[in-house]
Amino acid sequence: MAKLNIAPTKSNLLAIKEQLSVATDGYDLLEQKREILVMELMRLVEQVTLLERDIDKAISEAYPALRHMLMAVGGDRTERIAHAVKYDFTIREKPVVAGGMSFSSIEVQLPQQQLFYSFVGTFADTDKVTVTFFKLLNLLTQMASIRTIVWRLANEVKKTQRRVNALDKMIIPQNRETKTYIEGVLEERERENVFVLKSLKNRKNNEAVQ
């Protein structure tokens, strides 16, 4: 790693020591932050895995119920019942704290399940289809919310990792090499000054003897 192109002076040595101290502390803090974010990300990924399992189960219940209804009452009647169902959904942005950081996610507020069709000409399968698809929709909205947080948290982990790598692979080694270089130059100058002073002192002593 190439050293910084600065003059080897005492003031620059003090400055580079300060920069090195700040960089080292920053590295420790960022590394702690990265570990916290990764732990939080893994926790959310586990939630996603569990939700995926629940969604697969809900799909395995909802679509067979729909197929059974289609076979029992036919496509036309099923379509008429479907057109009678009208729901309003509320989607809003919500703040979420994950890993000590604030993120914006989405929240879908599902309405209460209602009866939009007459009991006449309907049967239990109609209610089963409605219930199972409502359950599936609820799980899908939860998944959308969590995936939004996971995506943003993963981006934050990447950014933090890049900063950690920059400090570890470039900034800290560069500052250390520069510090070592300046200290070496200053020590060499100090030895030269001591040698010159000793030479002057010896010359004065010789002149005094003569």
Side-chain angles (χ1 to χ4, degrees):
M1 179 61 65
K3 62 180 178 59
L4 295 171
N5 187 23
I6 59 175
T9 63
K10 289 184 178 181
S11 60
N12 282 339
L13 178 60
L14 292 175
I16 204 67
K17 283 182 176 180
E18 179 65 23
Q19 291 178 24
L20 181 57
S21 176
V22 171
T24 303
D25 292 342
Y27 172 82
D28 292 338
L29 290 174
L30 283 173
E31 182 63 20
Q32 291 175 19
K33 175 184 175 181
R34 187 192 66 80
E35 291 177 358
I36 292 172
L37 290 176
V38 168
M39 290 177 60
E40 185 66 19
L41 181 60
M42 295 303 296
R43 185 185 69 82
L44 291 174
V45 168
E46 184 177 356
Q47 286 188 22
V48 168
T49 302
L50 294 175
L51 269 175
E52 287 175 342
R53 183 191 64 188
D54 292 340
I55 288 172
D56 289 340
K57 182 179 178 181
I59 289 174
S60 68
E61 295 174 354
Y63 283 94
L66 178 59
R67 284 195 299 270
H68 188 273
M69 181 178 176
L70 287 169
M71 292 174 60
V73 303
D76 290 340
R77 184 179 294 181
T78 300
E79 188 174 353
R80 287 197 299 272
I81 294 173
H83 282 310
V85 178
K86 303 291 182 183
Y87 283 111
D88 292 325
F89 300 91
T90 302
I91 302 177
R92 69 181 182 88
E93 185 179 7
K94 70 171 183 177
V96 177
V97 177
M101 301 189 65
S102 296
F103 299 93
S104 293
S105 183
I106 59 171
E107 182 179 59
V108 181
Q109 295 179 341
L110 298 179
Q112 292 293 324
Q113 187 177 336
Q114 303 175 42
L115 181 65
F116 290 95
Y117 43 82
S118 170
F119 283 110
V120 179
T122 62
F123 50 95
D125 277 358
T126 304
D127 293 333
K128 184 176 181 180
V129 169
T130 304
V131 169
T132 54
F133 272 91
F134 230 84
K135 178 181 177 181
L136 176 59
L137 183 59
N138 182 48
L139 292 171
L140 290 174
T141 57
Q142 291 181 45
M143 177 67 80
S145 177
I146 292 180
R147 280 190 179 276
T148 301
I149 302 170
V150 167
W151 180 76
R152 293 180 178 174
L153 196 59
N155 281 341
E156 192 61 36
V157 169
K158 289 180 182 178
K159 289 194 296 185
T160 303
Q161 185 63 59
R162 284 197 296 267
R163 293 170 185 165
V164 168
N165 290 340
L167 287 169
D168 185 42
K169 305 299 183 183
M170 185 177 67
I171 296 175
I172 291 178
Q174 192 175 53
N175 285 345
R176 282 176 176 165
E177 187 168 339
T178 303
K179 172 178 169 289
T180 301
Y181 164 73
I182 294 177
E183 287 175 339
V185 172
L186 293 179
E187 288 174 1
E188 182 64 25
R189 287 177 183 173
E190 186 67 25
R191 286 193 294 269
E192 290 177 356
N193 290 337
V194 170
F195 177 77
V196 170
L197 289 174
K198 285 184 177 179
S199 297
L200 291 174
K201 184 177 180 180
N202 290 334
R203 182 182 298 177
K204 288 182 179 180
N205 290 338
N206 292 334
E207 290 177 352
V209 171
Q210 293 175 358

